[in-house]
């Protein structure tokens, strides 16, 4: 058996291909359903390289320049303001909670958001991990209640001040 030139001669290979197809279709469907709220603005958005500055972290040893690459940055325009959502794709389940940021075990997304706010001048509204493996794609993250992300509400909604505190805490904890 072949499918678009790929040999699928075993039942296991056909099953894996079917699962991959469902996963990709689910992820694409999720992005398309969100496009009336947030629209993808950048893929693999780099900071700390080229024209975008790094995040500077103060440590006991001095300043450290943090660089990275964000899988996807989405934007939404509302009432003359620009809001951001950062998304990191994962091939296995990942989560982010207020507690995981406070403990310092989940700093990636808040640091990505800090970088994008600094680069764009826009306001952070949501930060998500998107599981892209399995039969469905889903977001797991934190968003600002009563803000731009209210229409997209998977994850945990927090007040704007708490969202800001979590971003600041992540930067402090990274140092």
């Amino acid at each position: 058996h072949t499918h678009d030139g790929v040999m699928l001669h075993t039942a296991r290979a056909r099953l894996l291909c079917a699962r991959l197809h469902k996963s990709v279709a689910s992820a694409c469907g999720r992005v398309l359903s969100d496009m009336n709220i947030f629209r993808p603005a950048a893929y693999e958005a780099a900071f700390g390289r080229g024209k975008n500055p790094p995040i500077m972290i103060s440590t006991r040893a001095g300043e450290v320049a943090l660089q990275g690459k964000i899988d996807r940055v989405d934007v939404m325009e509302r009432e003359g303001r620009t809001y951001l959502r950062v998304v990191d794709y994962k091939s296995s389940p990942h989560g982010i909670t207020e507690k995981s940021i406070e403990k310092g075990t989940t700093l990636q997304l808040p640091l990505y958001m800090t970088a994008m706010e600094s680069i764009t001048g826009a306001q952070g509204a949501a930060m998500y991990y998107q599981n892209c493996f399995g039969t469905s794609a889903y977001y797991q993250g934190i968003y600002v209640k009563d803000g731009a992300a209210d229409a997209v509400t998977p994850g945990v909604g927090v007040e704007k001040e708490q969202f800001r505190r979590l971003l600041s805490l992540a930067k402090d904890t990274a140092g």
Side-chain angles (χ1 to χ4, degrees):
H1 297 81
T2 63
H3 179 68
D4 293 333
V6 176
M7 296 297 293
L8 299 177
H9 51 95
T10 67
R12 184 176 193 289
R14 287 190 295 277
L15 176 65
L16 289 174
C17 186
R19 284 184 181 168
L20 179 61
H21 181 266
K22 283 182 181 180
S23 181
V24 169
S26 179
C28 289
R30 181 65 195 214
V31 170
L32 290 173
S33 72
D34 286 351
M35 285 184 79
N36 63 339
I37 302 161
F38 283 94
R39 63 178 170 72
Y43 296 93
E44 296 191 2
F47 61 93
R49 301 178 198 134
K51 66 179 182 171
N52 294 325
I55 299 174
M56 297 308 294
I57 305 288
S58 296
T59 70
R60 291 184 198 123
E63 290 286 301
V64 174
L66 184 65
Q67 62 183 21
K69 191 181 289 185
I70 304 166
D71 289 336
R72 193 176 86 224
V73 179
D74 300 340
V75 297
M76 185 186 82
E77 305 291 333
R78 180 182 275 177
E79 298 172 5
R81 297 200 65 174
T82 302
Y83 296 91
L84 298 171
R85 174 173 64 185
V86 295
V87 179
D88 189 64
Y89 300 127
K90 295 295 184 189
S91 60
S92 61
H94 275 73
I96 181 172
T97 64
E98 292 176 75
K99 286 276 188 228
S100 67
I101 296 170
E102 290 165 354
K103 289 180 180 178
T105 59
T106 310
L107 302 178
Q108 179 185 22
L109 290 177
L111 292 173
Y112 282 0
M113 180 62 76
T114 299
M116 285 293 94
E117 286 183 339
S118 175
I119 292 166
T120 66
Q123 181 177 337
M127 47 191 170
Y128 290 107
Y129 287 116
Q130 184 176 2
N131 177 24
C132 293
F133 191 45
T135 57
S136 65
Y138 63 89
Y139 289 129
Q140 201 290 321
I142 297 176
Y143 68 94
V144 177
K145 289 192 294 188
D146 274 342
D150 268 353
V152 184
T153 57
V156 177
V158 298
E159 298 298 326
K160 182 178 177 179
E161 297 76 23
Q162 177 65 356
F163 192 82
R164 308 280 350 131
R165 187 185 78 76
L166 291 170
L167 296 182
S168 178
L169 181 62
K171 188 173 177 184
D172 292 345
T173 302

